[in-house]
Amino acid sequence: MTTIASLSAAELGPLYASKDVSPVEVAKDALARIERFEPQINAFVHRDEAATLAMAEASQARWLKGEATGPLDGVPVTIKDNIAVAGWPMRRGSAVASDAPFPEDAPATARLREAGAVFLGKTTMPEYGWKGVGDSPLTGITRNPWNIGTGPGGSSAGAASAAALNLGCIHIGTDGAGSVRIPAAFTGVVGLKPSYGRVPAWPISTMGFLAHLGPLTRTVTDTALAMQVIGQPDERDMTAMTGRPPDYVDGLKGGLRGLRVAWSPRLGLDVPVDPEIAALTSAAAQLFAELGATVEEADPGFADPIETLITLWASGAALALRDTDAGGRARMDPGLVAVAGQGERIPASAYVDALLNQRNALALCMARFHARFDLLLTPALPLPAFSVGRNTPEHGAYGDDWTRWTPFTYPFNLTQQPAISVPCGLTEAGLPAGLQIVGAFGRDALVLRAAAAFEQAKPFARVDQPIKPI
């Protein structure tokens, strides 16, 4: 039976138009489910029920007058804590940060507000988004709805957990080294890192050219709808694209026939991959062939760019904590403080070399690879979700650094290409696996089209309430 809780953004617009359901009903249902599930998953850092209902009532009035602003009018959304919402705090997961209301919307937030979306709240993240899991000194631990004994990944942790339970249809996150795709893979939702600059950012992230904004949703169509709106230009980001995005929703048509696709089970890296993840993602790649693509196993041919990432990442952390004194740092995540200290010791020449020369060499490698292949498929992650409250899995196969279990995501922050994680099955323990689809820079529409074809051929499993560990 169809319930409000099961509806996607794409389904809500026609129901609003026919008056079979109203934005106020949808908002109240989402708020009630947040209230019900929040004690178990801890996905939100800020909620303002009065503001949410006021936005829903304004949307409902527009629909009744036949003056809806577009397909996202009345659609419930969430915003990650490091993205500005006028009148709400932006604490970036830090207990040290100010809780004063931010004076204006970020570009993505502004476009959603103009489109009539209804804001449910701001979602949790690790402090300054420094790691790929979802705990912070500000909010504590965020949990994975598929098994609340595991984590949802990060840094868009709350966004992913809320998306998995459909606590809102569209969830805006950020991705500096995988922070949209990591939690999307762990929680069984769709997570897109668009081409750099496709979604303008302001205030600018301290992670600079690594940082992308993108949506997490339960369907590829909802991701495309979100991109239609948040992909609009904004003068506040000098690095953003100035042209308007293509029609991503219409671009979902076309399927996979005739595409040249590379399947890379380890990205050519010496990385242990969980056998169940390997099997599920390999079967997903085979499905691409069954749907008409020419699929060939091939690696791009680059060495692990982890040192390039760490140079840029640690430098960004140092900038984020530049004005934080010793007393403030004592209240912060010790791992973040350590990374910032590492960044403070990096020479400017090493930073510029990583930013320009090393990144450019990697981007050139991928550009030549995409001259042969339209798309690259990899596992989004080499493992399923692991125990909550940890930075790395218990078994120790990836050492003590969270970046070691995310080797398939961060290379494409360095190259700034579009990459999406789509669910491709469940392990025997009932945890999701994610398939990563990567396209050449600017080929976001093609990445979405491929994801839509895969989704249609292999519908995704859903979770409707948090599952307690056995």
Side-chain angles (χ1 to χ4, degrees):
M1 182 178 67
T2 299
T3 63
I4 289 177
S6 69
L7 294 170
S8 67
E11 292 167 330
L12 284 176
L15 291 172
Y16 291 159
S18 66
K19 301 181 177 60
D20 290 319
V21 70
S22 76
V24 172
E25 287 178 274
V26 170
K28 286 183 175 179
D29 180 82
L31 290 171
R33 286 185 291 114
I34 291 170
E35 192 68 25
R36 176 185 172 193
F37 297 143
E38 183 64 0
Q40 295 170 278
I41 63 167
N42 188 33
F44 288 84
V45 61
H46 181 85
R47 290 182 283 159
D48 184 341
E49 184 171 324
T52 297
L53 292 175
M55 297 178 85
E57 288 163 0
S59 172
Q60 184 164 299
R62 289 190 294 271
W63 280 103
L64 290 172
K65 293 177 185 177
E67 298 174 356
T69 58
L72 293 193
D73 202 337
V75 169
V77 304
T78 73
I79 311 293
K80 188 176 176 181
D81 191 29
N82 61 347
I83 302 171
V85 178
W88 290 357
M90 183 174 69
R91 303 186 71 181
R92 300 180 176 90
S94 179
V96 178
S98 169
D99 61 358
F102 204 81
E104 61 182 293
D105 287 332
T109 315
R111 301 296 86 77
L112 287 165
R113 194 186 296 274
E114 292 159 4
V118 174
F119 298 170
L120 295 174
K122 301 197 77 176
T123 52
T124 58
M125 59 183 289
E127 198 162 27
Y128 284 93
W130 81 273
K131 59 183 178 180
V133 294
D135 62 87
S136 79
L138 178 64
T139 56
I141 290 172
T142 297
R143 296 175 182 271
N144 187 339
W146 287 93
N147 181 329
I148 61 173
T150 69
S155 63
S156 303
S161 291
L165 292 168
N166 213 19
L167 305 177
C169 297
I170 292 168
H171 309 266
I172 306 303
T174 61
D175 189 316
S179 289
V180 163
R181 291 159 292 152
I182 293 166
F186 275 176
T187 61
V189 300
V190 179
L192 173 68
K193 178 188 77 66
S195 295
Y196 181 83
R198 179 68 278 172
V199 180
W202 185 90
I204 301 298
S205 169
T206 59
M207 298 305 172
F209 293 107
L210 294 173
H212 304 225
L213 279 80
L216 297 98
T217 70
R218 297 221 298 183
T219 73
V220 177
T221 299
D222 280 6
T223 292
L225 280 169
M227 287 298 299
Q228 292 290 128
V229 171
I230 66 174
Q232 304 294 329
D234 191 290
E235 65 183 3
R236 290 173 290 176
D237 185 352
M238 66 174 290
T239 68
M241 299 180 186
T242 55
R244 296 192 175 275
D247 187 336
Y248 289 120
V249 177
D250 186 64
L252 298 180
K253 306 168 186 175
L256 299 175
R257 189 162 301 279
L259 293 180
R260 302 163 300 164
V261 176
W263 159 237
S264 181
R266 282 181 168 77
L267 206 55
L269 307 176
D270 183 18
V271 176
V273 177
D274 178 272
E276 287 189 271
I277 298 296
L280 289 166
T281 53
S282 179
Q286 178 58 37
L287 183 55
F288 271 65
E290 295 169 11
L291 294 173
T294 300
V295 179
E296 175 185 338
E297 186 167 326
D299 299 325
F302 56 73
D304 189 345
I306 183 64
E307 295 304 324
T308 302
L309 174 80
I310 289 174
T311 297
L312 300 176
W313 196 259
S315 298
L319 178 59
L321 272 61
R322 179 178 58 183
D323 298 325
T324 305
D325 61 20
R329 293 189 184 206
R331 297 166 54 203
M332 302 181 85
D333 187 323
L336 170 61
V337 174
V339 170
Q342 181 181 359
E344 289 164 354
R345 297 187 294 273
I346 293 173
S349 58
Y351 176 85
V352 173
D353 182 50
L355 180 67
L356 300 180
N357 298 327
Q358 295 171 29
R359 276 185 57 242
N360 191 71
L362 188 64
L364 178 59
C365 175
M366 286 307 303
R368 289 171 173 166
F369 187 76
H370 282 293
R372 296 170 50 207
F373 297 103
D374 299 301
L375 296 169
L376 167 65
L377 307 180
T378 78
L381 293 171
L383 74 171
F386 52 87
S387 294
V388 73
R390 298 181 56 91
N391 289 348
T392 56
E394 304 91 322
H395 51 67
Y398 301 93
D400 58 2
D401 185 341
W402 71 268
T403 58
R404 298 298 179 179
W405 55 264
T406 62
F408 306 144
T409 56
Y410 58 74
F412 307 110
N413 292 84
L414 294 166
T415 63
Q416 303 186 332
Q417 298 170 240
I420 194 169
S421 177
V422 292
C424 63
L426 299 175
T427 67
E428 288 187 6
L431 294 171
L435 176 74
Q436 181 173 232
I437 307 170
V438 183
F441 183 85
R443 301 298 304 276
D444 302 61
L446 179 61
V447 168
L448 286 166
R449 178 181 129 196
F454 179 77
E455 176 186 49
Q456 184 176 12
K458 188 177 178 62
F460 306 151
R462 300 289 179 222
V463 60
D464 59 7
Q465 61 183 353
I467 300 172
K468 293 183 178 180
I470 298 173

